[in-house]
């Protein structure tokens, strides 16, 4: 299976900050990389698909980039509702998720 | 509007078979390209992808769990069923089903999840 490694595992930031989360695949997955946001007690929500395409209804402050093995999720200006856990997921082969990045309020 | 809802037992004893059901609306698994996946999340832990079934009845399973998983569909009822045999306390989790989008292979609509505890 392809292993997905996210960094950092947790992150403290303030409202208005620019935040970047990284996801690395154990082998090339081209652009078959998706990002999800999960809030406590809720189901995950799709943010980005195909590495950089914004899912309908997701604010434009979220963006994704990368290809091959290295990917990033960027939030350009953190809003209070963005504090959550973020997961990457590859769909190049049998799907796997990263371990998650918990984004907390500083 | 696409919706999915999971249902299943709240408590299962170790070694028993767990069956969870996903009932969906707003799309049909008879439609070419449609797929539904199951994902689980143990308390306080990360998401784990389990299985997927396609419109043409093709199936894909987690490599580590495939000997214990069976996914099936009933298109007349708009349901997808996942069974897990020989359960263990480590199978305690919230189980989610989600529609698999053709765009990027992402899961674009999720159910609310059903929580299952495996304990004697």
């Amino acid at each position: 299976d392809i292993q997905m490694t996210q960094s950092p595992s947790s992150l403290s930031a303030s409202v208005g900050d620019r935040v970047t989360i990284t996801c690395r695949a154990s082998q090339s997955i081209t652009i078959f990389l998706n990002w999800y946001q999960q809030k406590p007690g809720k189901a995950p929500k799709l943010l980005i698909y195909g590495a950089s395409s914004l899912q309908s209804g997701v604010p434009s402050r979220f963006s994704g980039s990368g290809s091959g093995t290295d990917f990033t999720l960027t939030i350009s200006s953190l809003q209070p509702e963005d504090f959550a856990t973020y997961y990457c997921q590859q769909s190049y082969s049998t799907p796997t998720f990263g371990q998650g990045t918990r984004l907390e309020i500083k | 509007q696409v919706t999915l809802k999971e249902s299943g037992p709240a408590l299962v004893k170790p070694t028993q078979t767990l069956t969870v059901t996903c009932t969906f609306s707003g799309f049909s698994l008879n439609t070419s390209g449609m797929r539904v996946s199951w994902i689980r999340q143990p308390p306080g832990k990360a998401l784990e992808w389990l299985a997927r079934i396609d419109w043409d009845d093709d199936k894909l399973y987690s490599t580590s769990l495939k000997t214990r998983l069976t996914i099936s569909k009933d298109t007349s009822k708009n349901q997808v069923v996942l069974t897990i045999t020989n359960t263990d306390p480590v199978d305690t989790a919230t189980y989610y089903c989600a529609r698999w989008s053709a765009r990027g292979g992402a899961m674009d609509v999720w159910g609310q999840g059903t929580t299952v505890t495996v304990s004697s």
Side-chain angles (χ1 to χ4, degrees):
Chain A
D1 281 0
I2 297 175
Q3 306 303 314
M4 306 301 294
T5 304
Q6 290 181 232
S7 60
S9 296
S10 64
L11 174 61
S12 294
S14 302
V15 172
D17 283 354
R18 180 183 180 89
V19 166
T20 297
I21 297 169
T22 296
C23 180
R24 175 166 288 176
S26 59
Q27 67 183 73
S28 176
I29 56 171
T30 65
I31 60 167
F32 287 93
L33 190 282
N34 309 303
W35 290 98
Y36 302 86
Q37 176 194 66
Q38 187 180 32
K39 297 181 179 179
K42 300 295 186 181
K45 172 187 173 182
L46 177 64
L47 299 176
I48 301 284
Y49 63 93
S52 61
S53 296
L54 194 66
Q55 173 69 355
S56 176
V58 174
S60 59
R61 62 182 180 272
F62 291 92
S63 64
S65 65
S67 66
T69 60
D70 294 317
F71 302 86
T72 59
L73 173 70
T74 299
I75 310 171
S76 60
S77 178
L78 271 175
Q79 298 302 300
E81 60 268 29
D82 299 337
F83 292 94
T85 300
Y86 293 84
Y87 292 93
C88 62
Q89 172 247 327
Q90 64 82 16
S91 55
Y92 182 81
S93 65
T94 304
T96 47
F97 286 93
Q99 81 279 16
T101 295
R102 185 174 178 182
L103 179 53
E104 301 174 318
I105 300 173
K106 184 183 285 184
Chain B
Q1 181 189 6
V2 173
T3 65
L4 303 97
K5 186 172 184 179
E6 306 86 349
S7 58
L11 181 64
V12 172
K13 294 185 186 307
T15 75
Q16 289 185 337
T17 294
L18 166 63
T19 299
V20 284
T21 300
C22 175
T23 303
F24 58 88
S25 63
F27 68 99
S28 172
L29 262 178
N30 280 325
T31 301
S32 178
M34 285 298 170
R35 297 167 163 167
V36 171
S37 271
W38 281 97
I39 308 97
R40 71 180 180 181
Q41 186 171 38
K45 295 189 177 181
L47 300 166
E48 179 182 22
W49 183 86
L50 299 176
R52 189 188 76 202
I53 191 163
D54 300 351
W55 79 99
D56 60 359
D57 211 36
D58 197 13
K59 304 173 180 78
L60 183 66
Y61 293 105
S62 160
T63 303
S64 60
L65 291 168
K66 62 183 176 182
T67 60
R68 298 173 52 215
L69 300 178
T70 301
I71 191 169
S72 61
K73 61 183 172 70
D74 184 334
T75 52
S76 66
K77 294 181 179 179
N78 280 351
Q79 290 182 333
V80 173
V81 176
L82 181 73
T83 62
I84 306 177
T85 59
N86 192 26
T87 54
D88 181 271
V90 299
D91 296 313
T92 294
T94 297
Y95 286 78
Y96 297 100
C97 61
R99 187 179 72 166
W100 181 280
S101 170
R103 296 183 296 178
M107 288 162 279
D108 65 347
V109 184
W110 294 61
Q112 64 191 23
T114 187
T115 300
V116 179
T117 300
V118 181
S119 175
S120 55

